[in-house]
Amino acid sequence: VSDGSDDKTAEIAKNSGCQVLAFKKPHGKAQALEKLIRYFKLFDNFDFILIVDADTRLNRNYLKNALPLFEDLKVAAVAGYAKSQWRKHFRPKWKYFFGAYRTRLYRILQLFLMFGQTWHLTNVLPVIPGFASIYRTSVLKNLKIYVPGLAIEDFNLAFQLRKKKLGIIAHHPSAFATAQDPGNLRDYAKQVRRWNLGFFQTVRLYGIWPS
């Protein structure tokens, strides 16, 4: 879905063989996804739905490593492992500072926190990263992707899944994709602020409970 983009995104996607739904005016990611799913009747035709962002690059073995996790029928979604897009460079550049920081941060948060939070005996991960995650269709159709007032859908979907007890979230470092990091402090701050805002908006909406 091209959500009001004013470049050649939709045209390039169509020429690459994709089925495209293009909006002239932006709706926001969550609402655009809901319209896309209804338009192409994805719930009726597929067992799994993979959601990726425009800047996401899936590892060539992403599906090969992620789909077997659904052999456990309790798994409702697979949360992708995030890596920063890193380009080799000789001269130090300020924009790569943020990529270097994110590389360390991702390794710490995912290997020592996120990986443990998806352990089948605990399974308390509060987020399903929207940059590259797969949902079991039978589960996703019971979740409301678009909720007015929420900045992002990542926490919203995870909280709903927990609240409705629709299954567990799986995660493994071998199912990874790369994402583009902000290249300056202003964009980095805006991104982090949006993520934090989305989290606390979701907490305010659904509350917290023992689990």
Side-chain angles (χ1 to χ4, degrees):
V1 57
S2 176
D3 188 35
S5 57
D6 56 6
D7 53 20
K8 295 185 178 181
T9 296
E11 180 184 337
I12 293 172
K14 288 180 180 178
N15 292 335
S16 299
C18 297
Q19 296 184 61
V20 177
L21 177 62
F23 297 121
K24 292 183 178 181
K25 295 182 179 179
H27 294 71
K29 180 184 175 182
Q31 191 173 16
L33 281 173
E34 280 197 346
K35 290 179 179 293
L36 175 80
I37 290 171
R38 285 199 299 268
Y39 185 81
F40 288 115
K41 300 179 180 179
L42 301 186
F43 285 155
D44 300 329
N45 297 306
F46 298 96
D47 293 324
F48 304 98
I49 292 179
L50 164 62
I51 298 175
V52 297
D53 285 338
D55 64 324
T56 298
R57 294 184 179 182
L58 296 174
N59 172 261
R60 62 186 300 174
N61 293 316
Y62 179 89
L63 292 175
K64 180 180 178 180
N65 294 326
L67 287 176
L69 297 174
F70 284 104
E71 292 178 3
D72 182 348
L73 298 181
K74 292 182 295 184
V75 172
V78 171
Y81 184 95
K83 290 187 177 183
S84 296
Q85 288 183 15
W86 188 257
R87 296 179 180 177
K88 293 183 179 180
H89 57 287
F90 179 72
R91 295 180 179 178
K93 293 184 179 181
W94 174 245
K95 67 178 182 178
Y96 290 118
F97 169 83
F98 299 98
Y101 171 73
R102 272 278 169 82
T103 297
R104 291 173 173 81
L105 183 65
Y106 280 158
R107 287 181 180 175
I108 293 173
L109 291 181
Q110 293 179 115
L111 288 177
F112 295 101
L113 184 65
M114 193 170 175
F115 195 50
Q117 288 178 329
T118 53
W119 185 36
H120 71 282
L121 293 181
T122 53
N123 213 268
V124 292
L125 184 68
V127 62
I128 304 174
F131 86 108
S133 293
I134 309 176
Y135 291 84
R136 198 182 292 275
T137 301
S138 58
V139 171
L140 188 58
K141 66 171 57 178
N142 289 301
L143 303 178
K144 192 172 183 180
I145 301 175
Y146 171 62
V147 176
L150 294 185
I152 56 177
E153 83 290 345
D154 310 46
F155 293 105
N156 169 47
L157 291 173
F159 270 60
Q160 284 185 72
L161 190 150
R162 300 298 192 194
K163 203 81 172 177
K164 297 180 180 181
K165 299 180 179 180
L166 296 175
I168 63 176
I169 302 170
H171 173 72
H172 197 276
S174 65
F176 72 89
T178 58
Q180 185 177 355
D181 294 309
N184 57 67
L185 182 60
R186 180 182 178 184
D187 289 345
Y188 186 88
K190 286 173 61 178
Q191 185 187 60
V192 174
R193 187 183 304 118
R194 183 167 172 266
W195 288 351
N196 288 332
L197 174 63
F199 170 72
F200 286 108
Q201 285 178 332
T202 306
V203 170
R204 182 179 181 182
L205 179 63
Y206 297 105
I208 57 175
W209 61 96
S211 79

